[in-house]
């Protein structure tokens, strides 16, 4: 059985937990979100997407 979770949902949960346990302030969370938003509009977005996809595709094979 395979369980798929969107990366955006997983990252949102991580941010909420970091804010909840005061590991990071709200200002830092907003700054990182804005950085990611603006980074998505650059030429680096395609490379980052390919890297994340490659890592996500390789993860299921690590347990074999």
């Amino acid at each position: 059985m395979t369980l798929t979770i969107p990366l955006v949902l997983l990252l949102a949960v991580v941010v909420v937990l970091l804010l909840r346990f005061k590991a990071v302030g709200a200002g830092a969370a907003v700054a990182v979100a804005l950085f990611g938003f603006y980074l998505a509009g650059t030429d680096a977005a395609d490379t980052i997407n390919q890297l994340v996809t490659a890592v996500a595709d390789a993860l299921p094979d690590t347990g074999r």
Side-chain angles (χ1 to χ4, degrees):
M1 181 175 152
T2 303
L3 176 66
T4 58
I5 301 172
L7 184 58
V8 170
L9 178 64
L10 184 63
L11 291 173
V13 169
V14 169
V15 169
V16 168
L17 289 174
L18 287 172
L19 287 170
R20 172 107 170 105
F21 294 112
K22 297 188 180 4
V24 67
V30 169
V32 170
L34 287 172
F35 175 72
F37 178 77
Y38 286 113
L39 184 64
T42 67
D43 292 334
D46 189 44
T47 304
I48 294 168
N49 191 21
Q50 290 174 357
L51 176 67
V52 171
T53 302
V55 169
D57 289 342
L59 284 177
D61 296 333
T62 57
R64 294 183 188 164

